[in-house]
Amino acid sequence: MKILLLNGPNLQLLGTREPEIYGRTTLPDIEAAVAALGAELGCEVAARQSNCEGELVGWIGSARREGFSGIILNAGAYTHTSVALRDAIAAVGLPAVEVHLSNVASREEFRNRSYIAPVCAGVIAGFGPDSYLLALRALVSRCGGRHC
Ligand code: DQA
């Protein structure tokens, strides 16, 4: 089983970006941890990051064709603004898990709204880098280890 791990805008800066909110773990460290857990769970994880909404939309749209069974997505600020990302997830029809390092529900009001959550299998937020690992476990469990 292949899982697509997508990170959106500004997440390439993890490690130095507002560490009091996002911690000191870098994106390559998170990607490596997800890949290691994937290997344990018997799945391959392909990790990509972009600051461009259109590039994220393109990757989601081609995920089924590329043979992915599910998507883990931290869309960063696009979570709170992007109808295009929401439509891409709905269109591709693969299970997706929305993740956030921080607990967006406890922050500014504009972060309380996700355009993406209604078309995702679920949302995991507030556990720092563990949010990604929990998302992978949830996705693999949902897919039952098969192509879904
Ligand atoms: C974030 C939360 C978003 O509100 C913010 O814009 C981010 C990071 C998180 O992982 O906590 O860029 O997605």
Side-chain angles (χ1 to χ4, degrees):
M1 185 164 69
K2 281 199 327 173
I3 299 294
L4 180 60
L5 168 60
L6 293 181
N7 278 283
N10 301 310
L11 293 164
Q12 83 282 10
L13 298 175
L14 289 176
T16 54
R17 175 192 180 193
E18 298 180 273
E20 65 289 356
I21 298 173
Y22 299 115
R24 296 224 174 253
T25 309
T26 65
L27 185 57
D29 285 345
I30 290 172
E31 291 171 343
V34 177
L37 179 61
E40 253 177 59
L41 300 177
C43 62
E44 190 188 314
V45 179
R48 302 175 191 169
Q49 186 275 332
S50 180
N51 294 319
C52 301
E53 188 177 10
E55 191 160 36
L56 294 164
V57 167
W59 286 334
I60 293 166
S62 61
R64 185 181 288 281
R65 231 179 311 124
E66 288 190 65
F68 291 107
S69 297
I71 300 170
I72 297 170
L73 172 64
N74 185 347
Y78 292 144
T79 306
H80 318 298
T81 63
S82 180
V83 176
L85 281 176
R86 175 198 175 113
D87 285 354
I89 293 165
V92 78
L94 293 173
V97 181
E98 174 183 327
V99 305
H100 300 285
L101 294 143
S102 64
N103 179 2
V104 282
S106 70
R107 299 180 60 195
E108 302 94 326
E109 205 179 327
F110 64 85
R111 292 185 209 276
N112 291 350
R113 175 176 198 178
S114 169
Y115 280 86
I116 293 163
V119 294
C120 284
V123 179
I124 300 175
F127 298 98
D130 284 347
S131 292
Y132 291 86
L133 302 177
L134 293 165
L136 181 62
R137 286 190 187 280
L139 208 46
V140 170
S141 159
R142 186 190 166 106
C143 294
R146 298 177 315 276
H147 193 84
C148 56

